């Protein structure tokens, strides 16, 4: 085989892989859409029936009357009172238990939820195959432009969600909101951001591409999960405040919000995921600076991408500091968390689309 024929064969193979990647991404979108409707069915048909509500009330009443601990002391039996479990972080606030989940506490809703998770796993595997095929078609990491970053980001975000489920974390309530935004992300990727397979600019030919960009994608996915839970916390906290003040929320709000975890649980979850990934975001910025030193001969030049990465770091640092400061917990800290995630979003979309700089090669 001549060199020209080998080159043509390689080009044809890469084109076929690129077409396969596109097919898999569209297929993943179709399965995600099925999962989306199944998650809706979980929320809609998993509403707590009269029997389920009555059973839950009787169970709660029975547990409230039953002693929590029985101990033997000096040959006799002593009964200790059931300890109160405070699930709200604010001192002296009301006790609010976690809701039954999106399924609403009944078997039908739980069945829809398990089907939805199964479809999510299938769609994740198909999308992962699309990302791998894209990488094979360009013979590099699939993070050279915004299209590739988007499909990888949504894959990792779903992977984070599925990992939490595999670790037996009660996060199925995230499914509907996650899949909704994943579909939006992929829709934007295949329509607005799509870029044909191409080679990297010289500055990106570095092993730091695998280190810096992969950690940035993982951080963004975890920050996203934290942002969703923060938004839900704000809604649930308002709902609890209204109940505490004697108000009566609407039927839809009650049906939806009573099934979510308590506001304190949502607040704690968002704080933990943001705090867990913050050191990795710090490493991401440091890795980017080292890469810049190798590629451009300077570690920091206040390029727009560098500047907004630093602003994002400061915003999340302020949020974490606020959580440790009296008077800044709860809603105030939650607003800071959303501002910080907004900075991350602008760093990716806004800077890449509207601002010119050394990172403009990421293109649309």
């Amino acid at each position: 085989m001549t060199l020209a024929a080998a080159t043509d064969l390689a080009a044809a193979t890469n084109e076929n892989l690129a077409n396969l990647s596109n097919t898999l991404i569209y297929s993943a979108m179709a399965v995600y859409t099925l999962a989306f409707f199944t998650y809706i069915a979980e929320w809609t048909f998993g509403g707590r029936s009269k029997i389920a509500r009555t059973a839950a009330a009787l169970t709660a009443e029975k547990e409230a009357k039953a002693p929590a601990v029985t101990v033997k002391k000096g040959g006799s039996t002593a009964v200790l009172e059931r300890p109160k479990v405070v699930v709200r972080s604010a001192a002296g606030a009301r006790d609010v238990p976690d809701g039954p989940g999106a399924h609403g506490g009944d078997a039908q809703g739980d069945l829809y939820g398990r089907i939805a998770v199964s479809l999510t796993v299938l769609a994740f595997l198909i999308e992962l195959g699309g990302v791998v095929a894209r990488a094979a078609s360009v013979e590099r990491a699939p993070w050279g432009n915004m299209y590739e970053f988007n499909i990888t980001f949504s894959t990792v975000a779903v992977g984070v969600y599925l990992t939490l489920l595999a670790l037996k974390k009660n996060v199925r309530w995230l499914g509907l909101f996650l899949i909704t935004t994943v579909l939006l992300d992929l829709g934007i990727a295949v329509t607005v951001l799509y870029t044909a397979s191409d080679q990297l600019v010289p500055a990106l030919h570095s092993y730091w591409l695998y280190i810096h960009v992969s950690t940035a994608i993982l951080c963004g996915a975890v920050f996203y999960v934290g942002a969703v839970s923060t938004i839900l916390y704000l809604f649930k906290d308002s709902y609890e405040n209204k109940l505490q003040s004697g108000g009566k929320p609407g039927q839809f709000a009650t049906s939806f919000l009573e099934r979510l975890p308590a506001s304190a649980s949502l607040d704690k979850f968002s704080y933990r995921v943001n705090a867990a990934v913050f050191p990795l975001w710090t490493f991401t910025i440091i890795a980017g600076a080292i890469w810049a030193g190798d590629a451009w001969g300077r570690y920091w030049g206040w390029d727009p991408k560098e500047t907004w990465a630093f602003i994002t770091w400061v915003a999340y640092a302020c949020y974490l500091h606020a959580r440790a400061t009296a008077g800044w917990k709860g809603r105030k800290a939650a607003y800071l968390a959303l501002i910080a995630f907004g900075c991350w979003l602008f760093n990716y979309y806004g800077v890449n689309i509207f601002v010119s700089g050394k990172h403009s090669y990421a293109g649309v």
Side-chain angles (χ1 to χ4, degrees):
M1 181 181 293
T2 64
L3 179 61
T7 302
D8 291 341
L9 178 61
T13 301
N14 291 341
E15 183 178 357
N16 289 335
L17 287 171
N19 292 334
L20 174 62
S21 173
N22 295 340
T23 301
L24 288 173
I25 294 300
Y26 279 106
S27 299
M29 292 176 66
V31 181
Y32 277 133
T33 302
L34 293 176
F36 168 77
F37 285 115
T38 314
Y39 279 117
I40 289 180
E42 179 187 16
W43 282 96
T44 303
F45 300 110
R48 302 186 70 182
S49 64
K50 184 176 180 181
I51 296 176
R53 289 176 182 273
T54 304
L58 292 174
T59 302
E61 183 180 353
K62 182 179 179 181
E63 289 179 350
K65 292 179 179 179
V69 183
T70 303
V71 297
K72 289 186 177 180
K73 199 172 183 181
S76 61
T77 301
V79 177
L80 304 181
E81 291 295 326
R82 175 180 295 275
K84 270 193 172 184
V85 179
V86 179
V87 295
R88 270 182 79 85
S89 56
R94 62 200 176 270
D95 295 349
V96 180
D98 288 343
H103 52 79
D106 61 37
Q108 183 184 27
D110 186 63
L111 175 62
Y112 282 118
R114 286 186 281 111
I115 293 173
V117 171
S118 299
L119 289 171
T120 303
V121 172
L122 176 60
F124 166 76
L125 294 175
I126 295 173
E127 186 181 10
L128 180 61
V131 173
V132 172
R134 176 75 177 198
S137 72
V138 294
E139 301 178 352
R140 57 168 172 78
W143 311 319
N145 52 60
M146 289 182 68
Y147 168 74
E148 295 173 356
F149 192 99
N150 261 43
I151 61 175
T152 306
F153 169 77
S154 59
T155 304
V156 174
V158 176
V160 170
Y161 167 67
L162 294 177
T163 300
L164 290 172
L165 287 177
L167 294 174
K168 308 297 183 183
K169 304 297 181 182
N170 180 24
V171 294
R172 206 162 80 190
W173 44 268
L174 268 174
L176 176 60
F177 313 100
L178 175 72
I179 298 307
T180 301
T181 48
V182 162
L183 282 171
L184 290 173
D185 176 80
L186 290 176
I188 293 173
V190 299
T191 55
V192 179
L193 303 178
Y194 181 77
T195 304
S197 300
D198 199 2
Q199 295 304 309
L200 296 173
V201 297
L204 291 179
H205 284 288
S206 171
Y207 61 88
W208 283 105
L209 172 69
Y210 297 90
I211 301 172
H212 172 66
V213 182
S214 63
T215 55
I217 291 172
L218 178 58
C219 289
V222 178
F223 283 148
Y224 163 73
V225 171
V228 171
S229 58
T230 299
I231 293 172
L232 294 177
Y233 156 74
L234 291 173
F235 280 105
K236 187 61 180 279
D237 186 64
S238 296
Y239 173 76
E240 292 176 4
N241 285 331
K242 190 169 186 178
L243 288 177
Q244 187 182 37
S245 62
K248 187 175 181 180
Q251 185 176 358
F252 174 78
T254 299
S255 175
F256 173 73
L257 293 172
E258 73 174 359
R259 293 189 249 170
L260 290 174
S263 61
S265 298
L266 292 168
D267 185 40
K268 186 185 296 183
F269 175 77
S270 61
Y271 168 67
R272 285 179 173 176
V273 296
N274 286 326
V277 81
F278 180 73
L280 187 61
W281 180 247
T282 304
F283 170 78
T284 301
I285 295 176
I286 295 172
I290 296 173
W291 187 10
D294 290 343
W296 301 316
R298 53 90 175 146
Y299 293 101
W300 197 267
W302 296 106
D303 179 78
K305 179 72 72 173
E306 298 167 351
T307 301
W308 276 95
F310 178 69
I311 291 173
T312 302
W313 184 90
V314 171
Y316 273 107
C318 290
Y319 162 70
L320 295 176
H321 177 71
R323 285 295 307 240
T325 304
W328 272 91
K329 292 182 179 181
R331 299 184 71 87
K332 291 181 181 179
Y335 293 138
L336 283 178
L338 293 181
I339 291 172
F341 184 68
C343 292
W344 187 91
L345 284 179
F346 183 79
N347 182 40
Y348 176 56
Y349 288 102
V351 171
N352 281 17
I353 295 174
F354 302 113
V355 184
S356 297
K358 285 186 173 294
H359 290 77
S360 297
Y361 48 68
V364 176

